[in-house]
């Protein structure tokens, strides 16, 4: 089966903002395919891929193995089309995507800042308790001498 085959898969699931297009690009490149991957919506990625039928079949299997939680619908394209080679990613809405990624990063940093503030507060409490325990320990360290002094005074 060394016929050339062109396909247009649509992948639905958790595929945006998780590096999925880069993974798909890597699979396409490793299989020697022509084509591209692009975002359709917040939970959908589209692809156009062409190459030897065995490479296309392996490519689809790669996608299923990598993300078994996604739904992949594949249409075969019967027309003879020219796809860009090597396989790549179409990056659309660069500024929007960069903004979304920055927003996500800011939220993560804000969460970490809150955790660090909690940690700082808890560390301060632990330091106070350590000082109290040190004082108690100092009292215990001098206890034998104080008992001896009390006995001598009687």
């Amino acid at each position: 089966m060394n016929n050339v085959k062109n396909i247009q898969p649509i992948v639905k699931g958790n595929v945006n903002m998780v590096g999925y297009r880069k993974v798909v690009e890597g699979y396409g490149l490793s299989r020697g395919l022509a084509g591209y991957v692009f975002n359709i919506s917040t939970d959908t990625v589209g692809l156009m891929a062409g190459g030897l039928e065995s490479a296309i079949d392996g490519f689809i299997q790669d996608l299923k193995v990598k993300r078994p939680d996604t739904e992949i619908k594949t249409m075969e394209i019967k027309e003879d089309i020219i796809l860009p080679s090597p396989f790549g990613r179409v990056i659309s809405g660069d500024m929007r995507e960069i903004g979304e990624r920055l927003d996500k990063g800011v939220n993560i940093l804000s969460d970490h800042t809150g955790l660090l503030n909690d940690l700082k507060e808890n560390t301060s409490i632990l330091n106070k308790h350590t000082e109290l325990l040190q004082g108690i320990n100092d009292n215990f360290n001098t206890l034998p001498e104080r008992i001896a002094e009390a006995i001598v005074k009687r």
Side-chain angles (χ1 to χ4, degrees), residues 90-143:
V90 173
I91 300 175
S92 59
D94 286 349
M95 295 310 290
R96 179 184 54 81
E97 186 172 333
I98 289 170
E100 288 172 357
R101 288 178 187 263
L102 286 172
D103 288 345
K104 189 174 184 179
V106 165
N107 289 337
I108 290 169
L109 288 173
S110 294
D111 291 345
H112 286 159
T113 299
L115 292 172
L116 287 172
N117 286 336
D118 291 347
L119 184 60
K120 183 178 176 183
E121 183 179 325
N122 290 336
T123 301
S124 175
I125 292 169
L126 284 173
N127 285 338
K128 288 177 186 173
H129 289 171
T130 300
E131 289 172 15
L132 287 172
L133 290 173
Q134 186 61 46
I136 292 170
N137 189 41
D138 290 345
N139 285 337
F140 277 125
N141 285 340
T142 60
L143 185 61

Side-chain angles (χ1 to χ4, degrees), residues 143-154:
L143 185 61
E145 290 132 10
R146 289 183 300 160
I147 292 173
E149 286 175 12
I151 291 174
V152 170
K153 286 183 183 178
R154 281 190 174 184

